[in-house]
Amino acid sequence: MPWDPERYRAFQSERFAPFDDLVALIRVRDGISAVDLGCGTGELTRRLADLLPGSDVAGIDSSPQMLGEAARLARPGLRFALCAIEDVTGAWDLVFSHAALQWVDGHRDLIPRVWSLVRLGGQLAVQVPSNHAHPTHTLIAETAAEAPFRDALGGWTRTAPVLGIEDYASILFAEGAERITVFEKAYPHVLADADALADWTSGTALVPYMERLPDELRAAFMERYRTRLRARFPETPVFYPFKRTLFAATKPA
């Protein structure tokens, strides 16, 4: 089950809200090279490029479906390419990533690898959702542990690789980073009801489960998950405080 750009866009304004906070952590300069790791449908990569006049900005993503949408936004100084985050190479004045690194395991190794892409004097700026302890996520794992889904998934459930803020700060310090900023913020969202929570996760956290489940079990899984959410969140509307971790650092020149 591939990534669905339209399903992802269903809550576009809420998903894009942390972008301004992340951009506020970078030193905006003209004429630099920048890479956006996990650019998705490209709208935020375009906004980043607009903030960096005369720069060469590359958006990379591993989803052909997402890049099919992003390609329409390409222009001189803004390009997109199919590539896994783990396979990105080169040296960049700005390595930027908005809500993508959470899909790559092993952050204690990944962050130094991503840091190695930053040129001397350059910057790293990253935002990752850190909402994995919220019921919208834990109830997915509970549903996956039930029959018949447990057998169909071979007992698999996804463990979020996102670390605590002190861990990211320590990793960056060990790499010799300067001007280290790391914080977690809850972004307040108000959704219509519990079903809207399910619609939200269907575009993100549920994707790897749907990929692994056979076609005939997907609808049943979603209904079981929705039932759990309705019991946990019977109110309307539903307040959804979504936690995200943001961090940035500069590589000494």
Side-chain angles (χ1 to χ4, degrees):
M1 183 177 177
W3 283 90
D4 184 340
E6 291 309 312
R7 187 180 295 272
Y8 184 82
R9 284 194 181 109
F11 298 95
Q12 180 169 287
S13 61
E14 291 88 350
R15 296 192 199 280
F16 287 6
F19 175 82
D20 290 335
D21 286 338
L22 187 59
V23 166
L25 298 179
I26 69 174
R27 186 171 76 259
V28 174
R29 296 177 288 161
D30 297 353
I32 67 170
S33 64
V35 62
D36 182 8
L37 305 178
C39 64
T41 51
E43 290 92 346
L44 293 182
T45 314
R46 180 181 60 185
R47 285 177 58 187
L48 179 66
D50 289 345
L51 291 169
L52 304 170
S55 296
D56 174 37
V57 179
I60 69 99
D61 204 280
S62 60
S63 167
Q65 292 76 25
M66 292 293 205
L67 283 176
E69 297 292 313
R72 305 174 189 177
L73 305 176
R75 59 166 174 76
L78 175 60
R79 54 195 168 90
F80 297 93
L82 182 68
C83 183
I85 289 171
E86 307 93 307
D87 296 333
V88 175
T89 58
W92 308 82
D93 297 308
L94 173 63
V95 176
F96 186 91
S97 186
H98 183 273
L101 295 191
Q102 74 275 11
W103 294 112
V104 184
D105 290 334
H107 278 207
R108 293 190 183 279
D109 294 324
L110 175 66
I111 301 308
R113 164 81 177 90
V114 171
W115 179 250
S116 73
L117 302 174
V118 181
R119 279 197 178 115
L120 297 180
Q123 286 187 289
L124 172 69
V126 172
Q127 182 269 120
V128 287
S130 48
N131 211 42
H132 43 275
H134 190 271
T136 49
H137 289 251
T138 60
L139 294 178
I140 293 174
E142 287 183 19
T143 304
E146 281 190 351
F149 314 117
R150 179 184 61 249
D151 292 339
L153 292 166
W156 178 88
T157 57
R158 186 171 189 272
T159 300
V162 175
L163 305 173
I165 57 175
E166 66 281 2
D167 297 308
Y168 289 117
S170 297
I171 291 169
L172 291 169
F173 177 79
E175 292 295 316
E178 295 180 345
R179 300 175 186 171
I180 298 169
T181 301
V182 187
F183 63 92
E184 186 176 58
K185 178 177 176 178
Y187 290 82
H189 306 307
V190 179
L191 304 187
D193 51 26
D195 283 339
L197 292 172
D199 293 340
W200 177 296
T201 54
S202 69
T204 52
L206 278 165
V207 171
Y209 289 87
M210 295 297 112
E211 285 178 335
R212 289 169 170 79
L213 284 169
D215 292 347
E216 63 271 17
L217 286 181
R218 289 174 180 168
F221 187 98
M222 281 300 303
E223 187 52 39
R224 192 82 59 87
Y225 173 55
R226 287 180 185 274
T227 298
R228 278 190 156 90
L229 283 174
R230 291 167 189 151
R232 177 64 178 78
F233 300 99
E235 69 274 15
T236 56
V238 174
F239 178 62
Y240 189 29
F242 196 103
K243 292 195 295 185
R244 298 179 182 272
T245 293
L246 296 87
F247 57 91
T250 299
K251 182 171 285 190

